[in-house]
Amino acid sequence: MPSPTIVLVHGAFADASSWRPVFDRLADDGHTVLAPPNPLRGLRYDASYTASVIDQIDGPVVLVGHSYGGAVITVAGGSAKVAGLVYVAGVAPDEGESVNDLQGRFPSLAMGPLVRPAQLADGSVEVSIDPARFHDVFCADVPDADAAFMAISQRPVSAAAFDDPATAAAWRAKPSWAVFGTADYPVAPELHRFSYDRAGATVTEVEGASHFLMRSQPDIVARVIREAVVASAVNVAP
């Protein structure tokens, strides 16, 4: 049976390098792994871009999404090539739901102002996180030096992205796995539990882990992805 290619989709305020510790572990096991850029220009655009990446892959795919990247794989995961979905502290909207719809039902545990808007030349607005708050809110369990670089290298996201409704919900038809930390401040643990229970996902909770648990707990995250790959491969026709 062909082993699925693993596609790692990063979230907002991050880039593909956020997956490096997980990539190292999966690559050492011999898995084929891709970590494409997530454009962060809006859910429809980002999902379409990810779908184009999937289209270029030979064989089955396991899609992995962190944070807002979870919404992206929820829409892009409808491709016939996608054998399974993995949410790493990822948001999993239903069709017609936006990230902000879910955040409104289960508000973030982060306190105080975090987001900094910036108007672009074309009149659109993108948002980033105040670097002074990045460490304590997003990745409190990541070493100081790593968190400092993550804060100043973060990629802003279109302000409209979190209001874009999902046009599909791949978790309704595809098997899913999820892993999140109980000390996730940007996305409340109760939101994770609600979303993953609704999706029928196989869930792993990591006590005390932050929102960026793929950086602080890469062994656990890699293990969940391996489980998804093995289970998904069984369902792939030879």
Side-chain angles (χ1 to χ4, degrees):
M1 298 180 188
S3 180
T5 296
I6 301 166
V7 177
L8 305 172
V9 179
H10 67 80
F13 319 121
D15 62 25
S17 69
S18 60
W19 290 112
R20 180 60 191 269
V22 172
F23 164 79
D24 288 342
R25 287 156 175 78
L26 296 173
D28 284 348
D29 290 341
H31 293 289
T32 301
V33 185
L34 296 178
N38 183 353
L40 304 181
R41 295 300 90 188
L43 183 54
R44 185 185 296 271
Y45 185 96
D46 299 338
S48 176
Y49 179 87
T50 301
S52 71
V53 173
I54 296 168
D55 287 344
Q56 298 173 55
I57 297 172
D58 291 329
V61 170
V62 167
L63 274 182
V64 184
H66 172 246
S67 192
Y68 164 75
V72 174
I73 71 168
T74 294
V75 177
S79 167
K81 290 185 176 182
V82 175
L85 308 167
V86 182
Y87 293 92
V88 179
V91 183
D94 201 351
E95 185 174 355
E97 281 182 339
S98 70
V99 172
N100 277 341
D101 288 337
L102 288 170
Q103 291 276 35
R105 296 177 65 178
F106 302 91
S108 165
L109 303 183
M111 303 297 290
L114 292 174
V115 177
R116 303 193 308 182
Q119 186 161 342
L120 304 183
D122 63 2
S124 64
V125 176
E126 64 180 16
V127 294
S128 60
I129 300 300
D130 180 357
R133 299 292 313 281
F134 198 95
H135 191 190
D136 66 309
V137 173
F138 278 79
C139 53
D141 53 355
V142 170
D144 292 356
D146 291 343
F149 184 77
M150 291 166 66
I152 61 94
S153 64
Q154 61 176 293
R155 290 186 53 213
V157 61
S158 167
F162 299 136
D163 286 318
D164 290 342
T167 57
W171 50 259
R172 288 193 169 275
K174 306 293 176 74
S176 60
W177 290 258
V179 55
F180 70 95
T182 61
D184 189 331
Y185 288 102
V187 181
E190 284 306 311
L191 171 50
H192 290 312
R193 295 183 184 108
F194 165 79
S195 300
Y196 305 150
D197 180 68
R198 179 173 67 174
T202 300
V203 182
T204 300
E205 293 193 22
V206 186
E207 186 65 31
S210 73
H211 189 59
F212 271 88
L213 73 167
M214 72 275 215
R215 292 296 301 263
S216 64
Q217 299 288 341
D219 288 332
I220 295 175
V221 173
R223 186 185 73 223
V224 171
I225 296 171
R226 288 187 200 103
E227 291 171 359
V229 168
V230 170
S232 298
V234 171
N235 297 320
V236 172

